[in-house]
Amino acid sequence: MTVTDRIERFAIDPFGADIPGEAARLRALGPIVPVELPGGIPAWAPTGHAVLKELILDPQVSKDPRRHWRLWPEIGEHPSWGWILGWVGVVNMLSTYGADHTRLRKLVAPSFTQRRTELMRPRVEAITAELLDALDDGGSLDDGGAGDGASGAVVDLRAGFAHPLPMRMICELFGVPEELREATGALIAAIMDTSDPSPEHAAFVQQQIGTVLGALIAHRGEHPGDDLTTELIRVRDEDGDRLSDEELLYTLLLVIGAGFETTVNLIGNAVVALLTHPEQLAAVRSGKIGWDAVIDETLRVHPSIAALPLRFAVSDIKVGDVTIPAGDAIITTYAAAGLDPVHYGPDADGFDAARGADDHLAFGIGVHRCIGAPLARVEALTALPALFDRFPGLELAVPEEELRQVPSFIAFGWQEVPVRLRA
């Protein structure tokens, strides 16, 4: 099957305006559906939990486009495909297979073990307290600040809390200097934005990767510190076979980006879920439901990453009555898997923190499981109780249906989370 084959494909919404509804429509078409990603990239989309899990764990499914994507040589012929290069045109853990993936993962994974992550907890708690104090003291959305809790003004909880906590943590971990942090956040937001598949946007992203992360590498090369960027530079300088210049650049892109953007959405999504389900919030406050359960249910219903491009069939793969030809692309559809009524029951589309859905796939599974999952959980388990303890009258400032999804079919979160800290 080639890109020119006449096969009817479901067009994925590049804005991600209705990810749950789109998942339901795909599921009605079968367990695996031919889709068209932004810019016209052909791929396959699993629509249920069991099929996605099976494909993720299948050794005949690769993440290396250079070796296993049949259309990789054609990318230059399709200018509107350029956006995908930020995901598969880079060389890091996300786009390698077999021994190359193992080598790159071993360089970073030890810094994100449960034990190492627990050592970061005091710093997470300190930043959380600082941000909550700032929310109390800041200005409202109307005057450009974080908000004045005493006056009942509207606060953007994403900008004032959900974003800066994981952003500051990952920047401290990787030694990102203050003057580069805003540009780093803007770079990751541009990569997540799939609403513009134009060649200009793709070129901007590629240029910014080299500029922003190149500046980080240069800074840490001149001013080494007790941080992971310095450690990775040392590995590159000592043994280029373990980590090349290209791998260093794109490993930083992956781990810094994944290390904060996904947790931003996790915190924001959990806050919205609890504020729109007050009876469950009351159960959490009383101790009937634990915060771990809140986080798992948030990740099931509203995973920070809705769909991740791309994986590739190493050989023909049979899914029910459908055969995915060798060399075809596959997206990992975490949102569809989490909302699968076959696996989670007829009310799978509803938020129920008492469900006990700790078998969600939002952090991945197998050799590509997210190495930052322990840190994300520590940050959320610190931020959420502290927020609701500090502001027991917290409420959404707009109806849930007025919240705006970030412009992406990949990221699953809100552009803003407008709240009143005190009703």
Side-chain angles (χ1 to χ4, degrees):
M1 187 178 303
T2 69
V3 73
T4 57
D5 285 339
R6 298 303 178 186
I7 179 173
E8 185 174 354
R9 295 185 176 275
F10 185 106
I12 297 296
D13 177 14
F15 289 88
D18 181 18
I19 289 172
E22 186 173 79
R25 291 189 292 275
L26 283 167
R27 191 175 301 113
L29 298 176
I32 188 92
V33 179
V35 297
E36 181 181 280
L37 305 185
I41 300 173
W44 293 88
T47 64
H49 188 284
V51 172
L52 179 61
K53 182 177 180 180
E54 182 179 344
L55 288 172
I56 291 176
L57 295 176
D58 190 339
Q60 291 303 300
V61 176
S62 166
K63 298 195 81 172
D64 189 336
R66 294 163 185 80
R67 294 167 59 187
H68 300 120
W69 190 17
R70 180 175 36 77
L71 299 179
W72 175 253
E74 298 184 21
I75 282 188
E77 302 171 19
H78 302 275
S80 61
W81 293 11
W83 69 270
I84 200 68
L85 292 175
W87 295 93
V88 305
V90 296
V91 183
N92 55 34
M93 289 179 288
L94 194 65
S95 60
T96 48
Y97 175 71
D100 286 334
H101 170 262
T102 301
R103 170 177 57 84
L104 292 172
R105 188 179 178 94
K106 282 183 177 179
L107 295 176
V108 180
S111 298
F112 289 91
T113 62
Q114 188 68 48
R115 184 184 67 82
R116 291 286 294 272
T117 300
E118 281 301 318
L119 296 176
M120 303 178 203
R121 187 182 292 273
R123 186 60 184 144
V124 175
E125 293 171 346
I127 294 174
T128 297
E130 289 177 26
L131 293 172
L132 292 175
D133 288 343
L135 284 176
D136 251 345
D137 298 337
S140 71
L141 278 177
D142 294 335
D143 61 25
D148 179 359
S151 69
V154 178
V155 175
D156 179 9
L157 204 65
R158 176 185 171 95
F161 187 65
H163 188 280
L165 170 59
M167 181 66 172
R168 285 176 60 179
M169 279 302 302
I170 205 70
C171 285
E172 290 183 10
L173 192 58
F174 281 86
V176 180
E178 190 67 42
E179 61 269 21
L180 286 178
R181 293 186 181 185
E182 184 177 350
T184 300
L187 167 61
I188 302 307
I191 291 175
M192 290 289 182
D193 185 349
T194 58
S195 66
D196 181 5
S198 70
E200 292 77 16
H201 180 74
F204 169 77
V205 168
Q206 292 301 313
Q207 183 268 332
Q208 285 295 293
I209 291 173
T211 299
V212 177
L213 298 180
L216 169 60
I217 293 168
H219 175 81
R220 281 299 158 211
E222 295 175 6
H223 308 284
D226 183 17
D227 58 80
L228 293 186
T229 300
T230 298
E231 179 59 30
L232 290 173
I233 291 171
R234 187 176 298 119
V235 171
R236 177 202 62 180
D237 293 345
E238 290 175 355
D239 186 356
D241 289 337
R242 292 181 66 204
L243 188 69
S244 68
D245 284 334
E246 182 184 30
E247 290 168 342
L248 169 61
L249 182 73
Y250 292 133
T251 293
L252 290 172
L253 174 68
L254 170 63
V255 185
I256 292 175
F260 82 87
E261 182 68 23
T262 53
T263 311
V264 173
N265 291 336
L266 169 56
I267 294 171
N269 294 344
V271 168
V272 171
L274 288 174
L275 292 181
T276 53
H277 295 82
E279 74 291 348
Q280 294 187 50
L281 177 56
V284 173
R285 290 187 186 282
S286 70
K288 293 179 181 178
I289 297 176
W291 284 105
D292 268 308
V294 170
I295 290 169
D296 282 326
E297 182 68 352
T298 301
L299 290 168
R300 181 192 73 82
V301 176
H302 215 120
S304 302
I305 297 295
L308 192 62
L310 286 170
R311 296 174 187 246
F312 312 97
V314 176
S315 60
D316 289 356
I317 298 174
K318 191 126 178 111
V319 178
D321 296 330
V322 176
T323 297
I324 304 174
D328 272 18
I330 305 165
I331 56 174
T332 43
T333 47
Y334 299 119
L339 298 171
D340 181 4
V342 173
H343 190 81
Y344 290 109
D347 64 342
D349 60 347
F351 181 87
D352 179 5
R355 188 188 305 271
D358 59 358
D359 65 343
H360 63 80
L361 302 175
F363 284 131
I365 191 172
V367 297
H368 284 280
R369 179 174 169 79
C370 176
I371 61 172
L375 179 57
R377 191 171 285 274
V378 164
E379 289 172 344
L381 284 173
T382 302
L384 292 169
L387 173 70
F388 283 96
D389 285 347
R390 175 72 74 94
F391 303 113
L394 189 72
E395 64 178 16
L396 277 178
V398 299
E400 183 183 10
E401 57 269 20
E402 292 184 15
L403 296 175
R404 297 179 300 155
Q405 153 76 6
V406 294
S408 178
F409 82 91
I410 297 174
F412 200 7
W414 308 114
Q415 294 185 40
E416 296 176 340
V417 181
V419 299
R420 290 185 177 86
L421 300 178
R422 296 179 176 88

